[in-house]
């Protein structure tokens, strides 16, 4: 016994480490359970909401007319018709918006990464992109109304909606593209310059293709984001119960607008349409999100 | 950060300027300029179209709760109630979402194993994918009625606190700020969580391991290293969430019941926020002067969110400077 006590090389034994006092241990466990609880608290509304929408809306989607017919001539209390017209509106408005917003957004991101050099104008642009991403959709809609309808004198139309959506989509595209361009290894640019390739060609042929999958992912996510926007369609286009292919004139339905209008219909058929359209909208957005995830998973940039 | 990526410069300059470079450069600069200008234009256009109505307004724009724009000859509109409802619902949302988001962010970054953290984070991100109109629908038809007993309980027992006193709409159905605030808190949860998660994850490993080596429990480690390090990012994320809540339109529009009397500064009030007031009147935007009244409200909302977002950026930037 005494020999081991005096041995300076003996390993530390249990008394060398003190147990954590019960108070500290309790606090530790309390903190851990509170954090787990916080997560559960967030999951409950998600599950509750999805369950509500699916259970109330799925039967609408099963009817044959849902995807292929509009609500033209359908009476409020009648279980008939579908959301074909609104689906068309939602998709077309988002695509027209993407056609305008994506080139501007990508070019602006190219400026920030390749030309800006973190200079004064680049910093101002980054700041404005941040501000733009915080602009409420209703303000964007009001602005387009003030510009397009009041000042230029055009009528409200699906195209005006797309213009408002451009303002909401731009910051998302710029941010995600910028992030992807910064991931492109510098060696690629240098190799291209060393071969005498001019800068713009390097960007177009080397940098952008390398980052392409990431950019496409960002675009898909931004399309998903603008599809759910309701404020612009409330302000900038009227609701129509039948299909309208013309984006420059006339009323055009979209899924959020259909939900908002059918909400006023107290009949059971109207309520079914509301929940059915809500489920359709969620599925549509999930679809674009899923495409984005798949693209990013299968073709990530190889940084090294 | 990866800013150094842009450091290398092309050989083109030494060989004289090429036309392609010039064109491409101006295209990208032009796109950036378009974004900068569009923000300016938003402010400018709203201002230009709001001024005539503000001049024709017969009552004080900031302090009056009245809103009647039907008679162009006698415009009477004030934003006091809109401001009260907007601020109350957003602050309630923030008060609920901030602690929950912090808990989730810490749970995901410092409790869960990395291989589970990703799918769990995806679940939270799913909340951001749900469109606001669906949140509104759910809040008005499902959550509101189920919150009614809680609201009644709070109203009965805590009525001495002005925030829980009787509001200007009936409690039944839950069409009040209380429900709207809770739905808003769910809607802003993903963004606060995402931002906080990013900064909490960047806590220097040396500090974490140092704290653990000194015998700190996991919670003590978090309190002494992660929270001080991530505080500014967390606050910035919360400000971004606040910006979202202030501008949220259609969910609030569907949930809140319109009230006949003016606001009583209670969570059980109904009424309109800036955004929902504008959206509710959108189909009747025909007369420039009365439309201008709504545009004035939109301008206030724009300046409000501009300030909140700029502040968020400032806080985040200061935190980043301190960390490096």
């Amino acid at each position: 016994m005494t020999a081991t006590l005096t041995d300076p090389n003996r390993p530390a034994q249990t008394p060398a480490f003190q147990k954590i006092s019960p108070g500290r241990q309790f606090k530790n466990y309390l903190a851990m359970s509170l954090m787990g609880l916080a997560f559960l608290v967030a999951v409950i509304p998600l599950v509750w909401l999805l369950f509500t929408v699916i259970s109330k809306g799925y039967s609408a989607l099963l009817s044959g007319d849902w995807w292929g017919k509009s609500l033209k001539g359908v009476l409020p209390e009648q279980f008939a018709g579908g959301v074909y017209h609104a689906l068309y509106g939602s998709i077309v408005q988002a695509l027209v918006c993407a056609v305008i917003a994506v080139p501007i957004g990508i070019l602006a991101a190219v400026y920030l990464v390749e030309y800006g050099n973190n200079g004064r104008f680049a910093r101002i642009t980054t700041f404005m992109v941040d501000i733009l991403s915080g602009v409420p959709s209703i303000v964007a809609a009001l602005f387009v109304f003030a510009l397009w309808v009041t000042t230029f004198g055009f009528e409200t139309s699906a195209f005006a909606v797309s213009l408002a959506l451009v303002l909401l989509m731009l910051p998302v595209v710029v941010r995600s593209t910028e992030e992807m361009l910064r991931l492109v290894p510098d060696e690629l640019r240098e190799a291209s310059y060393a071969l005498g390739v001019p800068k713009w060609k390097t960007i177009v042929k080397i940098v952008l293709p390398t980052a392409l999958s990431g950019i496409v992912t960002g675009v898909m996510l931004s399309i998903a984001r603008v599809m759910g926007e309701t404020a612009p369609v409330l302000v900038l286009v009227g609701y129509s119960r039948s299909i309208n292919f013309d984006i420059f004139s006339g009323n055009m339905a979209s899924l959020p607008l259909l939900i908002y209008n059918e909400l006023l219909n107290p009949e059971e058929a109207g309520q079914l349409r509301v929940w059915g359209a809500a489920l359709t909208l969620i599925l549509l957005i999930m679809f674009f999100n899923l495409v984005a995830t798949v693209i990013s998973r299968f073709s990530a940039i190889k940084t090294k | 950060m990866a800013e150094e990526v842009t450091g290398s410069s092309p050989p083109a300059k030494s060989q004289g300027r090429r036309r392609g470079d010039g064109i491409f450069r101006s295209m990208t600069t032009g796109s950036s300029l378009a974004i900068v200008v569009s923000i300016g234009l938003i402010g400018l256009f709203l201002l230009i179209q709001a001024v005539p109505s503000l001049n024709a307004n017969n009552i004080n724009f900031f302090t009056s709760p009245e809103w009647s724009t039907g008679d162009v000859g006698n415009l009477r509109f004030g934003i006091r109630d809109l401001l009260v409802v907007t601020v109350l619902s957003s602050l309630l949302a923030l008060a609920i979402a901030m602690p929950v988001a912090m808990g989730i962010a810490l749970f995901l970054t410092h409790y869960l194993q990395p291989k589970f953290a990703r799918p769990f984070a995806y679940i939270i991100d799913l909340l951001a994918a749900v469109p606001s109109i669906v949140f509104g629908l759910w809040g008005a038809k499902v959550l509101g009625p189920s919150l009614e007993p809680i609201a009644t309980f709070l109203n009965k027992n805590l009525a001495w606190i002005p925030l829980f006193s009787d509001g200007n709409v009936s409690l039944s159905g839950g069409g009040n700020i209380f429900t709207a605030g809770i739905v808003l808190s769910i809607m802003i949860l993903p963004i606060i969580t995402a931002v906080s998660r990013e900064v909490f994850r960047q806590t220097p490993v040396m500090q974490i391991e140092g704290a653990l080596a000194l015998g700190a429990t996991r919670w003590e480690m978090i309190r002494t290293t992660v929270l001080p390090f991530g505080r500014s990012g967390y606050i910035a994320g919360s400000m971004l969430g606040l910006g979202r809540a202030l501008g949220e339109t259609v969910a609030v529009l569907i949930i809140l019941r319109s009230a006949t009397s003016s606001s009583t500064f209670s969570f059980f009030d109904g009424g309109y926020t800036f955004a929902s007031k504008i959206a509710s009147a959108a189909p009747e935007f025909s007369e420039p002067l009365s439309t201008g009244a709504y545009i004035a409200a939109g301008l206030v909302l724009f300046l409000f969110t501009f300030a909140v977002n700029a502040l968020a950026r400032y806080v985040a930037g200061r935190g980043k400077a301190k960390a490096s």
Side-chain angles (χ1 to χ4, degrees):
Chain A
M1 275 303 267
T2 43
T4 46
L5 268 179
T6 49
D7 180 9
N9 292 326
R10 74 186 165 94
Q13 283 171 343
T14 20
F17 298 101
Q18 285 176 3
K19 275 220 168 116
I20 300 168
S21 69
R24 290 172 62 208
Q25 229 165 8
F26 172 74
K27 266 191 203 155
N28 188 33
Y29 285 125
L30 183 72
M32 186 163 85
S33 28
L34 280 180
M35 282 163 206
L37 198 69
F39 185 80
L40 278 185
V41 163
V43 171
I44 290 169
L46 179 68
V47 173
W48 190 1
L49 183 145
L50 288 180
F51 173 78
T52 310
V53 173
I54 292 171
S55 65
K56 291 197 178 190
Y58 81 99
S59 59
L61 270 65
L62 297 179
S63 87
D65 289 346
W66 185 257
W67 304 97
K69 288 235 169 78
S70 70
L71 288 171
K72 191 179 183 181
V74 175
L75 297 172
E77 68 274 16
Q78 207 177 348
F79 285 94
V83 293
Y84 159 63
H85 59 312
L87 209 54
Y88 171 85
S90 276
I91 293 173
V92 161
Q93 284 162 17
L95 288 186
V96 170
C97 157
V99 166
I100 303 169
V102 170
I104 300 178
I106 291 180
L107 284 173
V110 166
Y111 173 80
L112 287 176
V113 178
E114 308 286 339
Y115 291 103
N117 287 328
N118 216 8
R120 195 188 189 137
F121 184 58
R123 284 204 305 272
I124 293 176
T125 307
T126 310
F127 176 71
M128 287 306 179
V129 168
D130 276 358
I131 295 295
L132 197 56
S133 71
V135 167
S137 53
I138 189 81
V139 171
L142 262 189
F143 164 64
V144 171
F145 189 89
L147 179 78
W148 189 252
V149 181
T150 319
T151 309
F152 291 164
F154 294 105
E155 58 176 323
T156 56
S157 64
F159 186 68
V161 174
S162 298
L163 286 181
L165 294 181
V166 165
L167 291 174
L168 304 172
M169 190 189 247
L170 264 178
V172 188
V173 174
V174 174
R175 281 258 187 76
S176 59
T177 308
E178 192 188 345
E179 215 164 281
M180 285 303 134
L181 292 181
R182 290 202 195 281
L183 283 181
V184 175
D186 229 6
E187 288 86 342
L188 286 181
R189 294 184 181 89
E190 281 158 4
S192 174
Y193 296 153
L195 292 171
V197 180
K199 184 163 186 171
W200 73 274
K201 220 172 205 175
T202 305
I203 295 169
V204 175
K205 299 262 174 166
I206 309 287
V207 178
L208 285 176
T210 312
L212 190 66
S213 67
I215 296 173
V216 174
T217 305
V219 169
M220 288 293 166
L221 287 176
S222 64
I223 290 178
R225 182 192 158 183
V226 299
M227 270 185 173
E229 289 292 350
T230 315
V233 290
L234 278 182
V235 176
L236 292 167
V237 72
Y239 175 62
S240 152
R241 290 173 70 83
S242 54
I243 184 101
N244 169 21
F245 290 108
D246 188 357
I247 60 165
F248 289 103
S249 72
N251 296 341
M252 188 191 277
S254 57
L255 286 168
L257 200 53
L258 183 140
I259 296 173
Y260 189 74
N261 278 278
E262 286 289 336
L263 259 180
L264 304 174
N265 176 357
E267 301 287 340
E268 218 172 295
Q271 296 306 304
L272 181 66
R273 282 198 276 274
V274 166
W275 292 105
L279 181 57
T280 313
L281 185 58
I282 289 181
L283 287 177
L284 191 64
I285 288 173
M286 292 289 163
F287 171 75
F288 277 94
N289 272 321
L290 202 68
V291 171
T293 316
V294 169
I295 292 173
S296 73
R297 186 107 355 135
F298 284 103
S299 47
I301 297 180
K302 291 173 189 68
T303 36
K304 280 284 161 201
Chain B
M1 292 301 278
E3 268 91 356
E4 293 81 51
V5 168
T6 59
S8 65
S9 56
K13 275 176 194 156
S14 58
Q15 298 166 8
R17 241 190 144 74
R18 301 193 198 197
R19 199 149 31 118
D21 266 337
I23 295 171
F24 193 72
R25 194 193 164 100
S26 41
M27 273 167 70
T28 59
T29 317
S31 298
S32 301
L33 197 64
I35 292 176
V36 175
V37 167
S38 68
I39 289 280
L41 283 182
I42 292 176
L44 191 69
F45 266 84
L46 296 183
L47 189 65
I48 287 174
Q49 305 213 349
V51 165
S53 307
L54 287 171
N55 282 335
N57 192 5
N58 286 328
I59 51 174
N60 191 305
F61 179 60
F62 291 105
T63 56
S64 168
E66 204 178 331
W67 192 282
S68 77
T69 55
D71 178 10
V72 180
N74 182 21
L75 283 181
R76 304 175 69 81
F77 59 95
I79 55 167
R80 195 201 79 167
D81 271 17
L82 304 183
L83 189 68
V84 170
V85 176
T86 307
V87 169
L88 270 186
S89 57
S90 302
L91 288 185
L92 175 63
L94 204 60
I96 299 171
M98 271 180 83
V100 177
M102 177 187 268
I104 296 170
L106 289 174
F107 181 68
L108 291 175
T109 50
H110 289 98
Y111 282 90
L112 275 183
Q113 286 176 18
K115 84 178 156 193
F116 294 120
R118 210 187 152 113
F120 276 56
Y122 189 73
I123 295 176
I124 300 298
D125 288 342
L126 267 184
L127 271 179
V130 176
S132 58
I133 189 157
V134 179
F135 270 116
L137 196 60
W138 175 74
K141 303 251 167 188
V142 183
L143 185 70
S146 352
L147 284 177
E148 204 185 304
I150 301 175
T152 315
F153 174 82
L154 288 175
N155 180 228
K156 218 176 244 165
N157 295 293
L158 296 173
W160 49 275
I161 304 172
L163 285 177
F164 294 107
S165 59
D166 288 341
N168 57 10
V169 292
S170 104
L171 281 173
S172 65
N176 47 36
I177 297 176
F178 186 63
T179 310
I182 290 175
V183 171
L184 283 176
S185 75
I186 302 167
M187 296 176 74
I188 65 176
L189 198 59
I191 181 152
I192 305 181
T193 308
V195 175
S196 324
R197 215 171 63 203
E198 266 334 292
V199 287
F200 289 161
R201 183 177 295 144
Q202 286 166 7
T203 314
V205 184
M206 299 285 259
Q207 289 183 16
I208 294 177
E209 287 175 349
L212 291 176
L214 287 173
T217 61
R218 190 158 284 246
W219 164 241
E220 286 161 349
M221 178 274 285
I222 287 174
R223 218 186 52 209
T224 51
T225 65
V226 178
L227 292 186
F229 179 83
R231 192 171 61 209
S232 56
Y234 170 66
I235 292 173
S238 305
M239 302 291 277
L240 289 180
L242 178 64
R244 290 277 163 87
L246 289 171
E248 176 48 46
T249 310
V250 74
V252 179
L253 176 60
I254 296 178
I255 292 170
L256 282 188
R257 193 174 303 170
S258 60
T260 45
S261 57
S262 69
S263 158
T264 62
F265 295 89
S266 156
F267 281 142
F268 305 119
D269 278 345
Y272 291 99
T273 64
F274 285 110
S276 73
K277 185 76 187 173
I278 298 165
S280 73
E284 295 124 44
F285 283 175
S286 49
E287 183 60 47
L289 268 182
S290 49
T291 309
Y294 293 96
I295 290 181
L299 181 66
V300 175
L301 176 62
F302 174 63
L303 295 177
F304 217 158
T305 47
F306 189 106
V308 168
N309 283 303
L311 199 62
R313 220 188 115 86
Y314 171 73
V315 172
R318 226 181 37 172
K320 218 175 264 170
K322 209 168 28 174
S324 60

